[in-house]
Amino acid sequence: MRMDVVAAIDIGGTNTKIGIVDRNGKIIARDVVPTTDYPDAKDLVTAVEKKITGILDSQLSSLNPQLKGIGIGAPNGNYFKGTIEFAPNLKWKGIVPLADYFSEALKVTAVLTNDANAAALGEMYFGGARRMKDFIFVTLGTGLGSGFVANGKIIYGHDGFAGELGHVIVMQHGRQCGCGRKGCLEQYCSATGIVKTYFEILRSSEPEAFNLLDSSKVDAKYIYEKAMAGDESAFYAFNYTGEMLGLALANSVAYTSPEAIFLFGGLAQAGEMLFNPTILSFEKNLLNIYRDKIKLLPSSLPENDAPILGAASLIWNELHNSRH
Ligand SMILES: [Zn+2]
């Protein structure tokens, strides 16, 4: 007996997580190395390689595991080239051919994509999008990431960078974005965006409360708890966020006509507080041919494991496609 497994790697600004995943999406072993300890990407690859071989040769040796490939989810990951390109939250500058490094180190196929695309595939293989061929996956974390699946495939576009909903401009001359432009969606609809909205609302509606506020304590969770306790400014911050998100999602529907849109990440965990205003605005702004038929759903991937499951599904997806 032997067991096919993939190594899934989630490159984060602070930590790089490693998971050994079976075909059913079960994470059978995991480990972690601190990304920040490796200013040279090659050294990180060596450290991860040692961890993976260690796990396969000792911890899992009784299963006789066969490593089928390495799936990597990374910020600014380019699927076509297997590179990480100019990632703002990583120490590695320029273009890093990470997939090549991994495939040389472990002598198997390595596939890399950006973290949101990986998570979208994870939703398709192991989450709520099973049996769906057309859907949009949106992560609402520090920023806003997205993956578009059409006809059963992630849309990568001409150069591998398709699906950047977070940087669609929703407000002319709006908030300054990290990308250098102004008014991008992620400046409004993300964990950091809602904090900005809350401050704006509070500053104009309750200036005294705003002046007394310890702004370092305010994050999306704080605003959520306030809103749940009946605080109007916090409630309106969610309303405004949902309004902007619903509008942007309604527009994005016109490109791919999805069956569903999945929301993932910290902000999506606010549940109805976010979903109610989002759905209201979404339906209001949809072109009539799409109305009342596109599901807006919370992701069913477990928050902590989504990046690993997503990275793993990159390889299962590759193997699946190569059979056809
Ligand atoms: Zn931007």
Side-chain angles (χ1 to χ4, degrees):
M1 274 291 279
R2 46 163 249 200
M3 185 191 216
D4 289 347
V5 297
V6 300
I9 296 161
D10 169 38
I11 311 266
T14 314
N15 283 315
T16 290
K17 293 180 188 158
I18 306 160
I20 305 296
V21 184
D22 75 6
R23 208 174 261 281
N24 301 316
K26 188 166 170 235
I27 303 171
I28 50 180
R30 52 177 103 217
D31 212 329
V32 66
V33 297
T35 317
T36 41
D37 282 5
Y38 303 95
D40 187 339
K42 276 197 165 163
D43 295 334
L44 175 98
V45 172
T46 309
V48 171
E49 177 208 341
K50 280 190 187 141
K51 294 273 191 193
I52 293 174
T53 9
I55 293 170
L56 296 179
D57 293 348
S58 53
Q59 194 183 335
L60 298 178
S61 61
S62 62
L63 298 171
N64 191 14
Q66 300 291 312
L67 187 63
K68 302 300 282 184
I70 303 165
I72 309 153
N76 286 33
N78 185 314
Y79 172 76
F80 290 142
K81 296 190 235 157
T83 50
I84 296 180
E85 308 198 2
F86 308 99
N89 300 326
L90 298 177
K91 279 187 183 169
W92 315 325
K93 297 300 165 216
I95 298 175
V96 184
L98 205 68
D100 283 350
Y101 290 168
F102 271 112
S103 103
E104 278 159 28
L106 283 142
K107 310 278 178 271
V108 286
T109 309
V111 181
L112 177 149
T113 191
N114 89 32
D115 26 25
N117 282 341
L121 273 181
E123 194 76 47
M124 185 162 87
Y125 275 82
F126 307 124
R130 268 174 286 191
R131 291 179 294 276
M132 282 189 194
K133 283 186 173 296
D134 301 273
F135 66 95
I136 301 173
F137 183 89
V138 177
T139 69
L140 301 164
T142 319
L144 186 153
S146 63
F148 285 69
V149 172
N151 305 326
K153 288 194 169 131
I154 290 269
I155 300 180
Y156 286 109
H158 171 64
D159 60 0
F161 289 119
E164 285 288 349
L165 192 58
H167 296 281
V168 163
I169 294 175
V170 290
M171 188 77 79
Q172 283 281 5
H173 318 294
R175 294 177 188 165
Q176 181 65 50
C177 185
C179 73
R181 301 174 311 150
K182 284 182 175 169
C184 290
L185 182 65
E186 78 168 19
Q187 291 306 313
Y188 299 86
C189 303
S190 63
T192 41
I194 195 169
V195 171
K196 290 177 187 168
T197 301
Y198 178 65
F199 285 157
E200 280 180 15
I201 293 171
L202 206 61
R203 195 186 296 132
S204 62
S205 65
E206 304 173 64
E208 280 167 29
F210 177 74
N211 287 334
L212 291 171
L213 187 70
D214 176 359
S215 60
S216 66
K217 283 198 183 130
V218 179
D219 56 13
K221 189 162 172 271
Y222 170 96
I223 301 167
Y224 171 71
E225 280 162 4
K226 280 272 195 184
M228 288 301 277
D231 180 282
E232 283 207 344
S233 297
F235 182 75
Y236 283 127
F238 269 97
N239 259 2
Y240 183 75
T241 306
E243 229 170 81
M244 296 290 267
L245 183 60
L247 170 65
L249 294 178
N251 281 334
S252 66
V253 162
Y255 298 106
T256 58
S257 183
E259 178 179 350
I261 299 175
F262 293 89
L263 301 184
F264 174 82
L267 204 52
Q269 289 182 346
E272 288 186 350
M273 188 65 76
L274 180 75
F275 274 82
N276 286 350
T278 305
I279 292 172
L280 210 65
S281 156
F282 180 63
E283 289 296 339
K284 191 181 83 187
N285 289 297
L286 272 178
L287 184 64
N288 54 5
I289 50 172
Y290 303 121
R291 227 168 266 157
D292 292 323
K293 56 183 186 188
I294 299 160
K295 298 179 275 265
L296 250 175
L297 303 167
S299 163
S300 65
L301 293 179
E303 179 83 15
N304 291 328
D305 292 341
I308 287 295
L309 292 177
S313 50
L314 274 173
I315 293 298
W316 297 129
N317 187 53
E318 207 78 5
L319 295 172
H320 176 85
N321 288 342
S322 63
R323 277 204 309 268
H324 291 284

